[in-house]
Amino acid sequence: MVETTKFSPANNPLYLEIANRLGNLLCRDAVWDQTRCNWLGWGQEMHGQRLTPVYKACAADLYSGTSGIALFLAELYQFTHDRQQLRTIEAVVNQALSVYARLPVNVQHGFYAGATGIAFALIRIGEILQRDALIARGFSMLNDLRGVPFDAKNIDVISGSAGAIPALLYLAKKYQREELAELAHLHGRHLLQLAEHDEHGCSWPTIGGAVQANLTGHSHGTAGIATALLELYSVSKEKEFFDSALAALRYERHWFDQAQANWADLRQFAQRGKTEQGAITCSMAWCHGAPGIGLSRLRNLQLLNQTSGAETVDTSVTKAIEEDLEAALQSSSAALMQPWLPGKLNYSLCHGAAGNAELMIMAAQQLQRPTLMEVAEKVAQDGHNFYIKQGLPWPCGNGGAGDSPGLMLGTAGIGYFYLRMYVRTNLGTNLGTYNVQKVPSILLIGVE
């Protein structure tokens, strides 16, 4: 039997210890070339209709590349002030800047897959290290994107407009950069032009693979796009953004499965796993399924509350969003509270336990519900018991291929999760609250 460790505010430094251990391993494994460094790790690439394991050097992107690793190390450094971590951050930034121009043009605007995310990381790292030159370089990269045409296929949270909009609006507000708000607005008009309308609402074709219908979900589907449109509405008050967002939520609700308290994963390869005629296959991840949709709905409620008064919002709208959120919390927490089975699941941010736990972290704070924090504590405890105390390698989100250093699939993201847990403070009621200025969520951008 695995010995359990009770996590509480009193022994919260253990979270930082785990994050620091992961950061130091990344520093140890970096491959150096003078003033730059990079990593080798396992990933997956599509060859034909199959995902194939590949061992390769990291690119520059936020999702699995060097800018994402640098962002984690910088967030960690503000607590450790470790000189080797600082040296590695500087070298990783040099590497990202040396290769980011090689990003494909069609994903340049992407947050997790493109230059928008790299620029965002540079600005955040510059804030932490107090390096004005890095902040200026990040804004220069964003301004350069104003001359890059929008892509009609890469429009989702990972690789396109839906991911860029919240980041641009956040930085526009924080730094009083009106040109970034204008760019976000253009992204929004681009999304409106590409929307497909039917009797269920509106949705978007976001991936090139075979699908049963346009996808639900945060990273590739209607949830993330609807949230981006509501972000724009909260700033511009343009009703077309608001109406399209609500139509997108209606579309997604059409694919809700009451029995599973989850939404259909409409990718064809996911639906092949259904066990009976008419059964719906649902995923349980930030990218597809209830955890990511729950984060989106959590942000939707915030945005509607912020804009109330500018225009009266029908109470049925907020009620429907609240019901969706409750369903997402129900199914996500039930899945996370299952006994951990090593070898079956992973700890990645994109489609693993660490990413799913982010819904619990944010909902515990926003809804003032401490029992949700207990679910995130359980995830942190399982990671400590299985992968720290037993010395097992952390399971990454690459189909079991092996160790990956990146933010969304690998150890940098797992370390980021433990930093998010570490910054909790005790309010005396056992309710976790978070200093998002210290370690902001990387799965829901722009939330203060």
Side-chain angles (χ1 to χ4, degrees), residues 196-203 246-255:
E196 296 182 353
H197 298 266
D198 61 22
E199 68 273 22
H200 304 304
C202 76
S203 59
L246 296 193
L249 297 181
R250 288 197 304 273
Y251 172 87
E252 195 159 65
R253 205 165 290 121
H254 169 71
W255 292 104

Side-chain angles (χ1 to χ4, degrees), residues 42-58:
W42 284 99
Q44 292 178 301
E45 290 182 355
M46 187 68 73
H47 291 275
Q49 296 297 313
R50 299 184 61 182
L51 281 172
T52 302
V54 291
Y55 190 69
K56 61 180 182 179
C58 293

Side-chain angles (χ1 to χ4, degrees), residues 6-16 79 360-362 364-365 368-378 380 416-439:
K6 183 173 178 57
F7 282 67
S8 66
N11 63 0
N12 218 11
L14 186 55
Y15 296 135
L16 179 59
F79 300 105
M360 305 299 136
I361 293 171
M362 298 196 74
Q365 166 67 13
Q368 293 290 290
R369 287 163 59 174
T371 55
L372 296 176
M373 191 57 220
E374 294 172 7
V375 182
E377 296 274 5
K378 186 264 184 186
Y416 204 103
F417 160 67
Y418 277 99
L419 284 180
R420 288 280 291 160
M421 294 294 291
Y422 173 67
V423 296
R424 186 189 64 175
T425 58
N426 185 31
L427 296 181
T429 59
N430 203 28
L431 175 66
T433 186
Y434 300 84
N435 183 348
V436 293
Q437 295 299 323
K438 283 287 187 180
V439 185

Side-chain angles (χ1 to χ4, degrees), residues 153-165:
K153 295 181 179 179
N154 292 289
I155 59 175
D156 60 18
V157 165
I158 295 287
S159 58
S161 295
I165 287 169

Side-chain angles (χ1 to χ4, degrees), residues 57-130:
C58 293
D61 59 90
L62 197 67
Y63 187 89
S64 58
T66 50
S67 62
I69 299 172
L71 179 62
F72 161 61
L73 290 175
E75 297 288 357
L76 174 64
Y77 173 76
Q78 65 181 316
F79 300 105
T80 65
H81 301 289
D82 184 281
R83 298 175 75 178
Q84 182 57 28
Q85 290 170 7
L86 177 60
R87 177 172 176 259
T88 305
I89 293 164
E90 294 169 338
V92 181
V93 167
N94 290 339
Q95 172 66 12
L97 289 173
S98 71
V99 301
Y100 93 90
R102 302 176 199 169
L103 287 168
V105 174
N106 62 334
V107 297
Q108 281 282 319
H109 285 286
F111 183 78
Y112 295 96
T116 299
I118 298 172
F120 187 92
L122 287 179
I123 292 168
R124 175 61 181 162
I125 293 167
E127 291 170 351
I128 294 171
L129 302 185
Q130 299 182 354

Side-chain angles (χ1 to χ4, degrees), residues 114-174:
T116 299
I118 298 172
F120 187 92
L122 287 179
I123 292 168
R124 175 61 181 162
I125 293 167
E127 291 170 351
I128 294 171
L129 302 185
Q130 299 182 354
R131 306 280 178 87
D132 290 343
L134 285 181
I135 296 174
R137 185 62 186 274
F139 281 118
S140 175
M141 289 172 62
L142 291 175
N143 284 328
D144 288 345
L145 289 174
R146 298 168 72 187
V148 177
F150 296 144
D151 187 77
K153 295 181 179 179
N154 292 289
I155 59 175
D156 60 18
V157 165
I158 295 287
S159 58
S161 295
I165 287 169
L168 291 170
L169 291 178
Y170 171 77
L171 292 173
K173 180 180 178 181
K174 185 173 184 178

Side-chain angles (χ1 to χ4, degrees), residues 174-413:
K174 185 173 184 178
Y175 284 90
Q176 298 297 300
R177 305 289 294 245
E178 183 59 31
E179 73 277 10
L180 298 186
E182 292 173 359
L183 181 56
H185 187 272
L186 292 175
H187 276 294
R189 305 307 304 182
H190 179 60
L191 289 174
L192 293 181
Q193 291 171 5
L194 295 174
E196 296 182 353
H197 298 266
D198 61 22
E199 68 273 22
H200 304 304
C202 76
S203 59
W204 288 261
T206 56
I207 65 173
V211 297
Q212 179 181 342
N214 289 339
L215 299 183
T216 67
H218 180 76
S219 73
H220 295 296
T222 51
I225 296 176
T227 300
L229 294 177
L230 283 178
E231 296 276 4
L232 279 167
Y233 173 72
S234 71
V235 173
S236 70
K237 305 301 184 293
E238 292 186 32
K239 197 170 185 299
E240 195 173 0
F241 291 136
F242 180 80
D243 291 342
S244 294
L246 296 193
L249 297 181
R250 288 197 304 273
Y251 172 87
E252 195 159 65
R253 205 165 290 121
H254 169 71
W255 292 104
F256 179 71
D257 183 70
Q258 189 72 42
Q260 300 179 68
N262 203 345
W263 291 258
D265 185 341
L266 296 167
R267 296 170 295 174
Q268 287 286 19
F269 76 85
Q271 290 300 319
R272 289 188 204 121
K274 59 187 179 184
T275 57
E276 58 184 79
Q277 188 67 28
I280 292 178
T281 298
C282 302
S283 295
M284 187 61 69
W286 169 80
C287 51
H288 295 276
I293 291 174
L295 279 174
S296 291
R297 299 298 195 271
L298 198 65
R299 181 58 173 161
N300 298 159
L301 287 177
Q302 280 186 328
L303 292 168
L304 291 178
N305 288 335
Q306 290 172 10
T307 57
S308 62
E311 178 176 328
T312 302
V313 178
D314 192 320
T315 56
S316 64
V317 172
T318 55
K319 182 179 179 182
I321 293 174
E322 289 170 351
E323 289 173 351
D324 286 351
L325 176 56
E326 285 302 319
L329 290 169
Q330 172 191 330
S331 54
S332 300
S333 60
L336 288 171
M337 289 303 291
Q338 292 294 314
W340 183 254
L341 298 175
K344 297 292 184 181
L345 302 171
N346 72 84
Y347 257 75
S348 74
L349 289 181
C350 182
H351 44 262
N356 292 356
E358 179 68 17
L359 173 59
M360 305 299 136
I361 293 171
M362 298 196 74
Q365 166 67 13
Q366 183 173 323
L367 304 178
Q368 293 290 290
R369 287 163 59 174
T371 55
L372 296 176
M373 191 57 220
E374 294 172 7
V375 182
E377 296 274 5
K378 186 264 184 186
V379 174
Q381 178 175 335
D382 283 345
H384 175 259
N385 290 334
F386 285 101
Y387 305 107
I388 296 296
K389 295 180 73 173
Q390 297 190 50
L392 298 175
W394 288 91
C396 297
N398 52 25
D403 185 64
S404 175
L407 182 67
M408 297 301 292
L409 297 180
T411 51

